[in-house]
Amino acid sequence: MQTAIIFDMDGTLFQTNLILEPALECTFEYLRHKNLWSGAAPIEKYREIMGVPLDVVWKTLCPDHSDKIRKKSNDYFQAALIEEIRQGNGALYENVLPTLQSLSDSYPLYIASNGESAYLQAIMSTYHLDRWIKGCYSIDIIPSKNKAQLVERIMKEQNIVSGFVVGDRASDINAAIDNNLIAIAVNFDFAQQEEIKKAHHIVEQFPQLIDIIKTYRIQIQEV
């Protein structure tokens, strides 16, 4: 049995905003070329719903399209995102790497993300996150697309009995609370105040996690 830290990826570790706009523009240009879209790409709409499962994303962005076209749009979008990452146009948030390195000295680290597996692996390999991350889990493996169930799956597979979920959206906070873990919200690009106010802690800078988590470690040792 172990205590672990489970991180969200988009908007928590990775600055998705840096590659979101060009990848969406590329996708909707493809739809325009196929006479399936007119007007600007719905970038602000996607920013509002960032963090929800991808099937919800495309139902929201393309409400009048068929499931087949939505799937094709998502496939195109995923390929564009991965190409942006490989071209070096993305970035981790400031001080993510040294913070992960520090935390990994005391806790096993995992990722629970609503992103697709290939996209997550592109980030993992580009920034060599497997130096500290022991497992990267995609919502793809959960039929319900429920992040709380994804975290529950990680806990069962990795024999985790306590720990923390670090994320920026309601799905992350709820995943922590539903599994009796400590919810830590990062107040970064996509965070919404109404969603993150339910977290046990809110941080403005990534290294703040170290002091918060260290406090719990001290409490556990004292007990």
Side-chain angles (χ1 to χ4, degrees):
M1 296 186 292
Q2 62 181 346
T3 299
I5 308 171
I6 301 172
F7 293 92
D8 173 49
M9 179 67 87
D10 291 314
T12 299
L13 300 181
F14 184 68
Q15 295 187 58
T16 317
N17 60 305
L18 297 178
I19 65 172
L20 179 64
E21 184 169 341
L24 270 181
E25 287 288 0
C26 183
T27 302
F28 280 86
E29 179 58 31
Y30 162 79
L31 291 175
R32 292 187 199 102
H33 180 72
K34 296 291 186 179
N35 294 318
L36 294 170
W37 188 264
S38 62
I43 294 169
E44 288 308 314
K45 175 59 68 176
Y46 194 14
R47 290 183 184 277
E48 292 172 9
I49 62 173
M50 187 71 191
V52 303
L54 285 166
D55 59 337
V56 177
V57 166
W58 291 104
K59 286 178 181 178
T60 304
L61 298 185
C62 299
D64 300 325
H65 291 73
S66 67
D67 287 341
K68 181 179 180 179
I69 293 174
R70 289 173 187 156
K71 183 182 184 306
K72 183 67 175 178
S73 300
N74 181 61
D75 291 345
Y76 205 93
F77 179 55
Q78 295 300 314
L81 287 172
I82 290 170
E83 182 61 23
E84 288 290 325
I85 293 167
R86 289 175 176 166
Q87 291 293 327
N89 297 328
L92 300 175
Y93 282 100
E94 187 176 6
N95 292 316
V96 161
L97 291 180
T99 301
L100 292 180
Q101 182 176 15
S102 177
L103 291 173
S104 69
D105 290 339
S106 302
Y107 298 95
L109 311 181
Y110 299 93
I111 287 173
S113 173
N114 283 336
E116 291 189 356
S117 297
Y119 165 73
L120 296 174
Q121 288 307 314
I123 298 172
M124 289 286 292
S125 61
T126 297
Y127 300 101
H128 308 291
L129 294 182
D130 55 359
R131 288 175 287 178
W132 305 297
I133 302 294
K134 290 187 174 295
C136 182
Y137 288 76
S138 166
I139 201 71
D140 292 350
I141 64 175
I142 304 297
S144 68
K145 307 301 182 185
N146 184 299
K147 199 162 197 180
Q149 293 179 11
L150 179 61
V151 168
E152 180 183 19
R153 170 85 168 261
I154 297 171
M155 292 177 70
K156 286 182 178 178
E157 289 190 3
Q158 303 297 337
N159 201 21
I160 297 167
V161 295
S162 61
F164 311 83
V165 174
V166 182
D168 67 323
R169 299 305 299 264
S171 60
D172 305 305
I173 310 307
N174 293 335
I177 294 171
D178 290 351
N179 287 286
N180 297 311
L181 302 176
I182 302 300
I184 305 178
V186 294
N187 191 18
F188 296 164
D189 295 305
F190 302 109
Q192 297 184 12
Q193 296 306 310
E194 278 301 307
E195 294 184 3
I196 67 174
K197 70 180 184 181
K198 295 191 300 180
H200 297 96
H201 303 275
I202 299 174
V203 300
E204 304 289 338
Q205 297 180 350
F206 209 76
Q208 291 176 277
L209 292 171
I210 296 173
D211 288 335
I212 290 172
I213 292 172
K214 186 182 297 183
T215 299
Y216 282 90
R217 184 174 177 83
I218 292 171
Q219 290 174 349
I220 293 170
Q221 289 176 340
E222 289 177 346
V223 172

